[in-house]
Amino acid sequence: MTDTKNSAPAEALDNIILLSADSLRFDRIGATRNGEPLTPRIDELAENSLEFQPGVAPGPSTRDTIPSMLTGKYPSEFDEYGLPAPGSEPLTIAEELSNRGFATAALSHNNFTSRRYNIDRGFDFFDDVSPEARKENNRGAWRLYVRNLIEDTPLMNLAGQANNLAMEYLGRSLYLRNEAAENITDRALEWMDGTNDKRFLWVHYMDTHHPYLSPKRIQKKFGRTYSKKHIKQLSQKTRSAQEQITDEDIPEMEYVYDCTVRYVDEQIGRIIDKLREDGELEHSMIVVTGDHGEGFGEFGKFGHADELWDTMIAVPLIVHHPDRPSTNVNGQAPLRLLRETIVDGSGLFDITEKGADYVYTEVPNYRDDIQGVRGQEYKLIARNDDQITTRLANVEEEIPIEEVPDMEYEQLEKELTRDFEPIQVAADVDQREFREDLAALGYLEE
């Protein structure tokens, strides 16, 4: 009989479920709005789980976190965004579990989680935004065809201008085509119904990513509803007209964002209910997390910028294991340890007492060159020759370096120093394809 208390989840359990939400801030878990909880289903799961305060993403964007989360490597351990060829080192969580007899599936409609970047390594079923998946599921393949026809022609510039006008006056985008959480959960549940083997399921929800769309029934829970047009117009300001954001806009942005948090929470609850109804919950590990945070004007930043403030890197990290400790850890934990936790049974399970003393974060050197170390009380950020120190309290605040105790500052500097020998990724993505992915996510100005 397998010792489930001490064995790795990969050996002891029948189901490993990874549920991540794009741009999900740590401070939204357990929060309320107008007396209504934002995350009642996640809160319920957390009561019988290992929960860190907070989880720390390896960087401030999807491109930083996803390869790191799946392989346990730092973002700068790859020479560009993406993963090496399938089967090569480092193996992903999906490859490790597939080798152990798990059926594997992933569903995500973030363009930077697509098979174009080899994120599909190890997955039997991979539902992404690639042309192949769109044709298989009849999801807007015609848009890709039209885009390919006009790319690198004057018509593409006109299309970009038309998209900005459509967002400003109509609240509609020619590019953004992410499916709602309800639809992606439906397909995840359908896959679970058709699979009798041990299962690894990863669902990455995009609803908490701008433009923060949620059903009216969710918005009504908090007392106010907004049209899609208004919500998308708010979102467009954060992409291309931040100087136009008013003091009145920010509370509305946070409101519609919070509604998406509740919407994703509801869909996560459906997957938990499925496991419970099938009698599988007691044989399942469930991880709930985010890939990075989101800014609402803190430090002058909106959305997810290339910065290492906690608003950008502090995420939920909840690990439910039927036979491991259930505790609220008053300490941080790097999301990078997830692969080690699942495959080896160590990682996060080794820091359940007080979390990690220090967590390294970065904007990788192939994109910028920013490093940060988050301690238990202070953070050190280095950008080129400049250093910034902050105090980690209820609200992170920048402080003079002299206010950091000498021994703590020395340790932070020591932890900041990293030498990477980057692995060459196999993804062959040209600048046109990369621009398409940025445009599809609403970053038309980059």
Side-chain angles (χ1 to χ4, degrees):
M1 179 179 293
T2 303
D3 180 3
T4 59
K5 290 186 178 181
N6 297 309
S7 298
E11 302 294 342
L13 299 177
D14 294 334
N15 299 287
I16 296 174
I17 312 293
L18 172 57
L19 305 171
S20 55
D22 209 289
S23 313
L24 181 57
R25 286 170 61 128
F26 165 71
D27 60 6
R28 266 33 183 197
I29 304 303
T32 61
R33 178 177 281 278
N34 296 337
E36 181 74 24
L38 296 185
T39 56
R41 300 307 309 273
I42 295 175
D43 298 344
E44 179 186 7
L45 180 72
E47 289 179 1
N48 297 295
S49 303
L50 182 63
E51 182 179 9
F52 292 94
Q53 304 282 344
V56 182
S61 81
T62 302
R63 286 178 280 162
D64 306 322
T65 295
I66 296 304
S68 180
M69 180 177 74
L70 296 179
T71 67
K73 298 293 184 180
Y74 292 101
S76 285
E77 289 188 82
F78 301 102
D79 68 346
E80 221 349 311
Y81 176 66
L83 292 175
S88 61
E89 294 292 337
L91 297 184
T92 65
I93 295 173
E95 288 171 311
E96 292 278 11
L97 295 180
S98 180
N99 291 341
R100 289 164 170 78
F102 281 71
T104 57
L107 300 94
S108 172
H109 293 158
N110 185 313
N111 281 59
F112 288 108
T113 62
S114 71
R115 62 192 77 189
R116 175 180 289 175
Y117 300 96
N118 291 327
I119 305 301
D120 62 327
R121 287 179 46 166
F123 288 105
D124 307 321
F125 173 69
F126 196 76
D127 189 332
D128 65 343
V129 295
S130 66
E132 297 88 347
R134 291 194 186 195
K135 291 173 184 175
E136 291 166 8
N137 296 287
N138 192 28
R139 293 200 310 268
W142 66 270
R143 289 173 180 253
L144 296 179
Y145 178 72
V146 173
R147 289 272 306 282
N148 286 334
L149 284 179
I150 68 173
E151 183 71 46
D152 298 326
T153 73
L155 287 175
M156 193 62 191
N157 292 331
L158 290 175
Q161 295 172 21
N163 189 79
N164 285 335
L165 291 172
M167 287 289 286
E168 182 175 357
Y169 293 108
L170 302 177
R172 298 184 63 84
S173 173
L174 305 177
Y175 296 99
L176 200 60
R177 290 288 295 172
N178 295 319
E179 282 200 74
E182 204 160 348
N183 296 335
I184 202 171
T185 303
D186 285 344
R187 287 204 297 281
L189 295 176
E190 182 180 354
W191 178 81
M192 292 174 72
D193 273 333
T195 307
N196 295 319
D197 301 324
K198 298 174 72 170
R199 296 177 292 201
F200 172 50
L201 171 66
W202 171 35
V203 182
H204 184 74
Y205 291 104
M206 283 295 291
D207 307 79
T208 41
H209 186 283
H210 69 80
Y212 317 138
L213 295 176
S214 64
K216 290 289 177 66
R217 61 179 172 79
I218 296 291
Q219 296 177 41
K220 287 178 180 177
K221 291 180 183 293
F222 301 105
R224 183 180 297 181
T225 62
Y226 290 99
S227 67
K228 287 186 178 180
K229 174 183 176 181
H230 183 69
I231 294 172
K232 288 186 176 180
Q233 287 171 339
L234 280 175
S235 174
Q236 185 65 7
K237 286 186 179 182
T238 68
R239 310 276 76 78
S240 59
Q242 292 195 11
E243 71 281 356
Q244 297 178 19
I245 295 174
T246 67
D247 291 341
E248 292 74 26
D249 288 335
I250 297 174
E252 289 191 345
M253 290 175 179
E254 294 207 55
Y255 179 89
V256 295
Y257 173 81
D258 286 352
C259 290
T260 67
V261 173
R262 178 61 182 260
Y263 182 38
V264 168
D265 177 81
E266 174 189 88
Q267 299 307 311
I268 286 175
R270 291 178 63 200
I271 293 177
I272 296 171
D273 288 343
K274 170 69 174 173
L275 293 168
R276 182 178 288 114
E277 290 165 6
D278 291 348
E280 293 287 338
L281 191 57
E282 60 267 30
H283 308 292
S284 303
M285 176 179 179
I286 306 171
V287 178
V288 176
T289 190
D291 61 346
H292 54 77
E294 189 81 338
F296 291 105
E298 303 94 342
F299 302 101
K301 301 296 180 182
F302 291 88
H304 33 289
D306 280 348
E307 302 285 353
L308 297 178
W309 313 113
D310 265 17
T311 52
M312 303 294 172
I313 62 169
V315 298
L317 184 51
I318 297 165
V319 182
H320 171 82
H321 188 297
D323 298 307
R324 292 279 186 150
S326 297
T327 183
N328 190 317
V329 180
N330 186 25
Q332 63 186 352
L335 187 57
R336 185 184 60 82
L337 292 183
L338 190 56
R339 177 189 176 279
E340 183 180 334
T341 303
I342 292 170
V343 175
D344 301 327
S346 53
L348 298 174
F349 294 132
D350 288 343
I351 54 173
T352 59
E353 186 175 342
K354 61 182 182 68
D357 291 332
Y358 299 96
V359 179
Y360 176 82
T361 64
E362 63 175 343
V363 178
N365 49 29
Y366 61 76
R367 193 165 82 246
D368 201 330
D369 196 8
I370 311 173
Q371 301 84 37
V373 174
R374 190 184 192 281
Q376 294 280 4
E377 297 182 47
Y378 301 94
K379 183 194 295 178
L380 175 62
I381 301 172
R383 185 170 198 161
N384 299 321
D385 295 328
D386 297 326
Q387 288 190 343
I388 297 171
T389 49
T390 69
R391 179 181 288 110
L392 302 170
N394 291 332
V395 177
E396 183 179 14
E397 60 176 345
E398 185 175 347
I399 61 173
I401 290 177
E402 293 75 21
E403 291 190 20
V404 181
D406 290 343
M407 291 184 63
E408 176 68 4
Y409 177 75
E410 290 174 6
Q411 189 62 38
L412 288 167
E413 266 209 318
K414 180 180 179 182
E415 295 286 337
L416 194 71
T417 305
R418 305 273 169 161
D419 291 321
F420 296 120
E421 296 182 7
I423 302 165
Q424 184 175 2
V425 304
D428 185 17
V429 181
D430 61 27
Q431 287 302 305
R432 170 180 166 178
E433 293 172 324
F434 188 75
R435 289 196 307 271
E436 288 177 354
D437 290 329
L438 285 172
L441 293 171
Y443 303 110
L444 301 178
E445 300 301 311
E446 298 195 35

